[in-house]
Amino acid sequence: MPKTMFEKIWDTHLVAEPEGEPAILYIDLHLVHEVTSPQAFEGLRLTGRKVRRPDLTISTVDHNVPTDETRTEVIKDPIARQQVEALRQNCTDFGVTLYDVDSSAQGIVHVIGPEQGYTQPGMTIVCGDSHTSTHGAFGSLAFGIGTSEVEHVLATQTLRQRTPKTMEVRFNGELPVGVSAKDMILATIGQMGTAGGTGHVIEYTGEAIRDLNMEGRMTICNMTIEGGARAGMIAPDDTTFKWMRGRKFVPQGDDFDAAAAEWSQIVTDDGAEYDTLVEIDCESLEPFISWGTNPGQVARVSESVPGPDDFDDPAEQESAERALEYMALDAGTAMQDIRLDRVFIGSCTNARLEDLRAAASIIQGKRVAEGVRAQVMPGSTLTKWAAEKEGISEIFKDAGFEWRESGCSMCLGMNPDILVPGERCASTSNRNFEGRQGKGGRTHLVSPEMAAAAAIAGHFVDVRDWD
Amino acid sequence: MEKFTRLTGRVAPLNRANVDTDQIIPKQFLKRIERTGFGEFAFFDWRYLEDGVPNPDFILNEARYQGASILVAGRNFGSGSSREHAPWALNEMGFRAIIAPSFADIFRNNCMQNGMVPIVLSQNQVDHIMGNALKGVGYEVTVDLEAQTVSDAEGFSASFEFDSFRRNSLMKGLDDIGITLQNSDAIDEFESARAARW
Ligand code: SF4
């Protein structure tokens, strides 16, 4: 029987399916960070359990580390420090590899997994972080889990899961010039809603997906969770293998070719069926901007801020009303008339080298608008170094951007990088929830190109008209 | 894990859709390394005014909802991050059951790992409970996990679906790791079969 890519990975990782219980799924790679793991390690200690496979467990500090030059010193915030120090202690006690602030391999957990070559096609990958879906861009099955499940994986190297449903999100047609992967996923969430994918694993297909580079594919899989789905995946192909070859933890030389030949089998068979189909017409896409307080509340750059009356559903109306109030926006305002105080280029959605290149190409030779504070937090230390070597950091600095160290930073504001109440930010991250970037802060989600152009103009502009 | 079989309790209404985990427990409170100490920070941005005093306009601050153990909310409750701090915080606030038309997957799962029962009812049924909780003082419902029903003293009764494995774990207070480790042999076998292949 023809199988989907999801089914192939699922079936080869089934350890057992005890009668009436969720399946026991084997986990190939477990990524760990400082915020969602301390209670899990503590649980192991209390029960006298070990980490079953420390060799399949990798950790880093990303969520609350500072992004200024003080990062290798003692963290000033005593509670954040406690968390980072707890991770250090836990990794020592349980024999887990830690990429600490002074390591070249440090970075946002979803950036370093692929960058170091840990993330590979056909794998099952988990992390106590909802954006684990990012790793699906390589044709792996990657889930975000809670802390109790982190403990479960540490102790057993397995996860209990009921079989999810499958969904195909098919991008029809070619992507217009000036429209990016970020716009594809914002459009998708706008169309299906933030709960549209609930209970599903999504596979993204279509010509536009095949044409994307790996960074773009990661951006799309990353935001899958914003559509409510458990995991997003994209079939591995030559683009995938080319990107992976030579990375530190992938097979090397001929072994890589042999592995790639196997990996190319992990694709959906002709005739395999998904439970649900969503189609997106690429040709009609434009750059997208979020106007509200969830990632489904998006508009095209050519449009205006909608009003509650533009929605049929009473819950959506109420949600829009509340969002407009929080965002201090009037219905009918042109999206391009929204002025900004801050610009943030960073996060596991859009802070890889290609994202930084894309943003740099927009700002070259220009200056950040008066009154706008613009910052770049590269996704990993290696990314930062690569960008510096290429001269991209100079382009940002010359334009008046702050060039910082890597980490989650302003994506969730657990370190000192936050918005102050009322500040409005164009952000390349993935969540525009109330207070996400700081209490009272107002977040607009956009692509790196759109964020860069907005930094220069001081308000949103259509990058398709940029010169 | 604490057992859950049957609970009669006061209902607190949160009539909003898409309440995300950043609202339930804002990130500045995620820095603790314990499972406790989050309750006072639940819904922080809505619940407190600038100077730290309770916001009188936030519904869960009303006197009539104090001591509530059942939360009724709008659809897609718990969307966003995987932070288990969200159910920990709600649990500490006193909520053992949450009723909504739908939940985000990870949040729902996290609740059940902590002895809490997320219950999906139809929009009409949720509206009914929400309406009563908004109207009166001291409106109570009974959540019966064994019978899989939610009912009140005025004759309302609704049945709900629940994963049989999770239901059993909740009713007996079992944690997953112990149950999975009963399959240790299967895990060992799986690992040696793979090791042989690679
Ligand atoms: S960058 Fe943001 S979304 Fe990504 S892992 Fe960090 S906090 Fe989560």
Side-chain angles (χ1 to χ4, degrees):
Chain A
M1 212 178 96
K3 285 184 179 180
T4 62
M5 173 168 52
F6 161 77
E7 288 164 332
K8 290 183 182 179
I9 301 177
W10 180 269
D11 291 352
T12 51
H13 289 80
L14 271 182
V15 171
E17 277 186 293
E19 175 86 29
E21 297 182 16
I24 302 178
L25 202 64
Y26 197 77
I27 300 303
D28 296 320
L29 176 64
H30 186 189
L31 304 160
V32 171
H33 65 76
E34 75 276 23
V35 177
T36 54
S37 67
Q39 296 86 354
F41 283 110
E42 199 48 35
L44 295 184
R45 263 192 205 99
L46 290 173
T47 47
R49 291 177 177 134
K50 289 194 181 52
V51 175
R52 183 181 173 100
R53 294 295 301 269
D55 55 324
L56 305 182
T57 313
I58 299 302
S59 72
T60 193
V61 286
D62 54 4
H63 278 63
N64 68 38
V65 294
T67 57
D68 61 14
E69 60 289 348
T70 68
R71 70 200 249 114
T72 51
E73 299 164 15
V74 173
I75 299 177
K76 289 187 202 85
D77 173 355
I79 315 178
R81 182 169 74 227
Q82 189 189 34
Q83 213 164 48
V84 169
E85 284 171 358
L87 183 62
R88 289 174 182 151
Q89 191 63 46
N90 288 330
C91 289
T92 309
D93 291 354
F94 290 91
V96 171
T97 301
L98 168 67
Y99 295 118
D100 210 334
V101 273
D102 52 3
S103 164
S104 64
Q106 180 275 342
I108 305 172
V109 65
H110 310 308
V111 176
I112 66 167
E115 191 170 76
Q116 296 292 323
Y118 285 115
T119 302
Q120 296 175 12
M123 279 185 165
T124 48
I125 302 175
V126 297
C127 174
D129 192 286
S130 56
H131 292 98
T132 310
S133 56
T134 313
H135 305 262
F138 290 81
S140 62
L141 177 61
F143 293 119
I145 57 178
T147 296
S148 295
E149 290 173 315
V150 169
E151 186 179 338
H152 189 281
V153 178
L154 290 172
T156 70
Q157 203 56 33
T158 67
L159 188 67
R160 312 285 319 221
Q161 286 280 303
R162 290 280 179 200
T163 322
K165 292 205 254 315
T166 55
M167 177 188 286
E168 179 185 10
V169 172
R170 193 188 298 158
F171 290 97
N172 294 318
E174 267 185 60
L175 204 60
V177 176
V179 181
S180 74
K182 184 66 162 279
D183 304 311
M184 291 166 75
I185 189 66
L186 287 174
T188 305
I189 301 163
Q191 182 174 320
M192 75 180 186
T194 53
T198 306
H200 288 81
V201 165
I202 295 178
E203 181 178 344
Y204 299 99
T205 65
E207 191 187 341
I209 291 286
R210 299 268 66 96
D211 290 345
L212 282 180
N213 59 26
M214 288 316 293
E215 286 79 0
R217 294 181 188 184
M218 283 188 260
T219 300
I220 289 185
C221 288
N222 173 277
M223 287 195 70
T224 299
I225 183 72
E226 260 50 74
R230 294 299 317 268
M233 46 200 336
I234 290 174
D237 60 11
D238 286 340
T239 304
T240 320
F241 307 143
K242 211 168 146 217
W243 196 94
M244 290 177 69
R245 186 185 288 276
R247 291 186 186 267
K248 193 162 175 198
F249 292 99
V250 303
Q252 304 293 323
D254 292 348
D255 289 347
F256 186 87
D257 297 316
E262 276 208 29
W263 291 334
S264 14
Q265 306 301 309
I266 311 164
V267 293
T268 296
D269 297 326
D270 286 342
E273 286 181 17
Y274 303 86
D275 296 310
T276 316
L277 170 69
V278 169
E279 292 187 85
I280 308 285
D281 171 20
C282 280
E283 287 172 20
S284 70
L285 293 188
E286 293 178 24
F288 275 74
I289 304 168
S290 74
W291 54 265
T293 53
N294 74 56
Q297 292 177 321
V298 294
R300 289 155 191 270
V301 66
S302 64
E303 290 177 337
S304 303
V305 176
D309 299 345
D310 293 320
F311 302 90
D312 299 329
D313 174 73
E316 289 305 322
Q317 290 177 352
E318 197 259 2
S319 208
E321 201 173 314
R322 192 180 283 285
L324 291 177
E325 193 190 322
Y326 180 85
M327 295 294 289
L329 289 174
D330 295 324
T333 306
M335 293 305 291
Q336 297 186 50
D337 288 342
I338 299 176
R339 304 201 66 84
L340 298 153
D341 308 300
R342 304 280 295 263
V343 171
F344 166 59
I345 297 180
S347 91
C348 59
T349 312
N350 279 127
R352 297 180 180 81
L353 193 53
E354 275 301 326
D355 299 313
L356 303 186
R357 284 181 184 142
S361 72
I362 298 276
I363 61 169
Q364 185 138 32
K366 300 189 166 66
R367 286 290 302 172
V368 170
E370 187 90 22
V372 174
R373 180 177 178 196
Q375 293 169 300
V376 189
M377 283 77 165
S380 71
T381 299
L382 269 188
T383 302
K384 175 170 186 265
W385 292 353
E388 285 169 354
K389 209 166 145 206
E390 250 181 70
I392 291 174
S393 53
E394 288 310 310
I395 298 177
F396 280 113
K397 286 194 251 176
D398 289 346
F401 277 77
E402 294 169 39
W403 179 252
R404 308 290 288 261
E405 302 289 336
S406 81
C408 297
S409 175
M410 253 177 68
C411 172
L412 92 165
M414 267 189 84
N415 71 0
D417 309 330
I418 53 172
L419 299 180
V420 302
E423 272 188 325
R424 189 180 294 285
C425 184
S427 190
T428 65
S429 53
N430 44 48
R431 288 197 173 132
N432 51 344
F433 297 151
E434 285 183 27
R436 171 80 177 178
Q437 298 193 281
K439 186 171 177 172
R442 299 173 180 136
T443 303
H444 294 276
L445 304 174
V446 284
S447 68
E449 294 90 331
M450 285 288 288
I456 304 299
H459 56 87
F460 286 116
V461 287
D462 189 341
V463 279
R464 293 174 301 176
D465 307 329
W466 193 255
D467 56 27
Chain B
M1 192 169 85
E2 210 176 319
K3 289 182 193 170
F4 190 113
T5 44
R6 198 161 181 275
L7 168 73
T8 300
R10 185 173 284 198
V11 181
L14 190 58
N15 196 9
R16 302 181 186 193
N18 302 313
V19 172
D20 58 72
T21 51
D22 280 69
Q23 282 341 303
I24 299 172
I25 182 82
K27 70 267 164 169
Q28 63 269 36
F29 307 114
L30 301 183
K31 292 174 186 165
R32 300 178 63 83
I33 57 172
E34 298 84 17
R35 282 174 188 257
T36 52
F38 299 102
E40 58 182 304
F41 306 120
F43 300 114
F44 188 85
D45 290 353
W46 293 341
R47 195 164 153 204
Y48 301 102
L49 297 173
E50 285 309 318
D51 45 4
V53 299
N55 176 1
D57 294 337
F58 182 52
I59 188 156
L60 298 187
N61 284 338
E62 291 181 26
R64 58 184 173 143
Y65 301 124
Q66 301 317 303
S69 54
I70 297 164
L71 184 67
V72 58
R75 69 172 182 231
N76 196 26
F77 189 81
S79 58
S81 120
S82 66
R83 56 187 73 162
E84 201 160 311
H85 314 66
W88 295 338
L90 293 173
N91 201 342
E92 241 175 80
M93 250 184 116
F95 297 116
R96 299 294 314 286
I98 306 171
I99 301 170
S102 61
F103 292 88
D105 286 336
I106 307 180
F107 174 81
R108 186 159 190 234
N109 214 2
N110 284 342
C111 283
M112 297 187 286
Q113 303 280 350
N114 288 281
M116 297 163 70
V117 179
I119 297 164
V120 175
L121 294 183
S122 72
Q123 186 70 52
N124 280 341
Q125 291 164 335
V126 170
D127 289 346
H128 177 88
I129 297 171
M130 184 80 73
N132 281 341
L134 287 168
K135 241 182 5 229
V137 175
Y139 176 68
E140 292 192 344
V141 299
T142 297
V143 171
D144 188 332
L145 185 58
E146 184 162 27
Q148 297 181 223
T149 56
V150 177
S151 55
D152 70 13
E154 288 137 49
F156 168 84
S157 179
S159 55
F160 59 87
E161 289 183 19
F162 212 83
D163 184 284
S164 57
F165 172 76
R166 293 282 157 219
R167 175 166 161 264
N168 185 52
S169 297
L170 282 160
M171 289 180 57
K172 296 189 179 142
L174 305 174
D175 83 277
D176 280 12
I177 299 179
I179 307 174
T180 298
L181 287 175
Q182 291 169 3
N183 297 274
S184 290
D185 291 351
I187 305 174
D188 291 344
E189 270 167 44
F190 184 91
E191 281 184 337
S192 32
R194 298 199 113 196
R197 201 173 148 244
W198 294 103

